[in-house]
C-alpha cells in the first residue's frame, strides 16, 4: 500500500513546484521525490543489515529479500512517482490572488538581530512536547518488546500534533511576513520539522538511561541509532510538510483579502 503512495508523492511535488518555481528544475524535483528519502532508507537499512550479517545474527534479512525490496522500489515506486509528476505537471498550476514584484525588495534585519535559526529551534519544542509521552510508550514497544494498546489515544495525539505543527508554522510565518521578510517557505517547513531533531536527541537519552546499557554490544547500539535516525528524519519530513502546507494556505488566504485598485 505504501508503495502506491508514491503516485501521490510525485503528483504533490509536481503541483507544488509548478506553482512556486516554474519549469526550470522539473526533472530534479521528480528525481528527488523518487530517490531522496527512499534512497536514504534503503542505504541505511542495507548497511545495518550488513552489520547483522557480519555478527551472525538470525535477524538479518536475506539477500533475496533485499533484491525484492530493490525491485519494488525501482520498478514500482519510481515509475509511480514519475507518473504522478506527469499528471501533476499536466494540471493547470495554482493561481495566486496577487502578482509578485519581479525585482526583489531588500529584507530588513530580524527583530533584536536574533537569527531565524533560533526561532526554528525554539518552535520545534512544542510539537515534540505533544508526542513526548506517547513516544516513550512507542519506544518501549519497539525496543523493550512491551505491548502497545493505546491506539485510540495515539490517534488523538496525532491530531493534536497536526494542529500544533500547523499553528506554530502559521504564527512564525505571520511574524516573518510582518517583518517584511517574504522568504517564508523554508522557515515554515523547518519550524515544524525541527521537532524531528528533538526526537533524535531524545532517542540518545532513552538509550543512555536503559538499565543494561553498559552490557549492550556495539552492533545493537549502531542498529538502534540507525533506525532511530530514520524515524527522526521521517518525523521531521512529516511535521515539516504539515507546517509548510498550513502556512501556504494561510498566506494564500490573507493575500486574497488584498484589494488592488
Amino acid at each position: 500500500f505504501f508503495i502506491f503512495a508514491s503516485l501521490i508523492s510525485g503528483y504533490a511535488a509536481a503541483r507544488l513546484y509548478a506553482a512556486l518555481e516554474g519549469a526550470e528544475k522539473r526533472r530534479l524535483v521528480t528525481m528527488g521525490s523518487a530517490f531522496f528519502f527512499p534512497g536514504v532508507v534503503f542505504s541505511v537499512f542495507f548497511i545495518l543489515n550488513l552489520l547483522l550479517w557480519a555478527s551472525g545474527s538470525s535477524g538479518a534479512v536475506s539477500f533475496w529479500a533485499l533484491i525484492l525490496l530493490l525491485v519494488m522500489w525501482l520498478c514500482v515506486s519510481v515509475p509511480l512517482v514519475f507518473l504522478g509528476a506527469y499528471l501533476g505537471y499536466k494540471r493547470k498550476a495554482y493561481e495566486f490572488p496577487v502578482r509578485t514584484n519581479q525585482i526583489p525588495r531588500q529584507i530588513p534585519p530580524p527583530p533584536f538581530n536574533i537569527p531565524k535559526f533560533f526561532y526554528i529551534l525554539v518552535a520545534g519544542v512544542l510539537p515534540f512536547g505533544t508526542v513526548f509521552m506517547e513516544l516513550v510508550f512507542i519506544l518501549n514497544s519497539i525496543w523493550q518488546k512491551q505491548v502497545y494498546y493505546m491506539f485510540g489515544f495515539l490517534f488523538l495525539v496525532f491530531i493534536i500534533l497536526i494542529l500544533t505543527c500547523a499553528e506554530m508554522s502559521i504564527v512564525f510565518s505571520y511574524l516573518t511576513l510582518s517583518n517584511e521578510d517574504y522568504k517564508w517557505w523554508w522557515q515554515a517547513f523547518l519550524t515544524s520539522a525541527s521537532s524531528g531533531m528533538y526526537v533524535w536527541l531524545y532517542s540518545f537519552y532513552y538509550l543512555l538511561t536503559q538499565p543494561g546499557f553498559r552490557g549492550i554490544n556495539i552492533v545493537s547500539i549502531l542498529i538502534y541509532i540507525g533506525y532511530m535516525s530514520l524515524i527522526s528524519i521521517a518525523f521531521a519530513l512529516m511535521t515539516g510538510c504539515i507546517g509548510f502546507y498550513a502556512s501556504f494556505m494561510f498566506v494564500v488566504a490573507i493575500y486574497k483579502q488584498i484589494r488592488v485598485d
Side-chain angles (χ1 to χ4, degrees):
F1 173 76
F2 291 103
I3 291 182
F4 293 102
S6 302
L7 181 68
I8 303 175
S9 172
Y11 180 83
R15 292 280 288 160
L16 184 62
Y17 179 74
L20 295 181
E21 294 292 340
E24 291 82 3
K25 300 178 181 179
R26 287 188 174 185
R27 291 183 180 179
L28 181 61
V29 172
T30 305
M31 295 287 286
S33 301
F35 292 101
F36 174 66
F37 183 66
V40 171
V41 172
F42 184 83
S43 300
V44 173
F45 179 76
F46 179 75
I47 293 173
L48 296 180
N49 200 61
L50 286 180
L51 293 176
L52 291 175
W53 276 345
S55 62
S57 173
S58 59
V61 178
S62 66
F63 175 76
W64 294 110
L66 287 176
I67 295 298
L68 178 62
L69 289 175
L70 189 63
V71 170
M72 292 177 65
W73 173 30
L74 297 179
C75 298
V76 180
S77 177
V78 172
L80 286 177
V81 171
F82 278 86
L83 176 61
Y86 173 78
L87 297 176
Y89 287 130
K90 292 290 288 184
R91 290 284 304 274
K92 185 179 179 181
Y94 295 117
E95 294 184 358
F96 298 111
V98 294
R99 294 183 180 181
T100 57
N101 193 352
Q102 297 299 321
I103 303 176
R105 61 185 300 178
Q106 185 178 2
I107 300 175
F112 307 107
N113 290 322
I114 300 177
K116 289 183 179 181
F117 184 71
F118 175 78
Y119 294 107
I120 291 172
L121 290 179
V122 172
V125 175
L126 195 57
F128 170 73
T130 60
V131 299
F132 170 72
M133 292 305 300
E134 285 303 301
L135 181 62
V136 176
F137 293 112
I138 292 174
L139 291 180
N140 288 335
S141 176
I142 296 175
W143 302 109
Q144 301 295 337
K145 297 182 180 180
Q146 297 182 8
V147 178
Y148 185 84
Y149 52 86
M150 298 183 295
F151 294 102
F153 190 72
L154 178 64
F155 178 75
L156 179 62
V157 171
F158 179 68
I159 298 299
I160 297 174
L161 174 65
I162 293 176
L163 296 176
T164 304
C165 292
E167 290 174 359
M168 293 299 296
S169 293
I170 288 174
V171 168
F172 279 90
S173 297
Y174 176 76
L175 294 176
T176 300
L177 294 173
S178 298
N179 193 49
E180 300 181 9
D181 185 354
Y182 53 86
K183 296 183 179 180
W184 58 269
W185 40 89
W186 277 113
Q187 181 170 339
F189 176 83
L190 295 174
T191 296
S192 299
S194 61
S195 58
M197 180 191 67
Y198 292 101
V199 173
W200 188 68
L201 293 176
Y202 177 77
S203 68
F204 284 94
Y205 173 79
Y206 178 85
L207 175 64
L208 295 174
T209 54
Q210 295 305 303
F213 169 70
R214 296 185 180 275
I216 303 176
N217 60 67
I218 186 64
V219 174
S220 298
I221 293 177
L222 291 176
I223 290 174
Y224 172 84
I225 294 175
Y227 281 126
M228 288 307 302
S229 298
L230 289 180
I231 293 174
S232 301
I233 293 173
F235 186 82
L237 292 175
M238 179 190 69
T239 53
C241 179
I242 294 171
F244 172 80
Y245 273 101
S247 296
F248 180 74
M249 291 186 290
F250 170 75
V251 172
V252 172
I254 62 175
Y255 276 94
K256 279 184 178 179
Q257 307 304 319
I258 297 178
R259 297 291 183 264
V260 180
D261 297 329

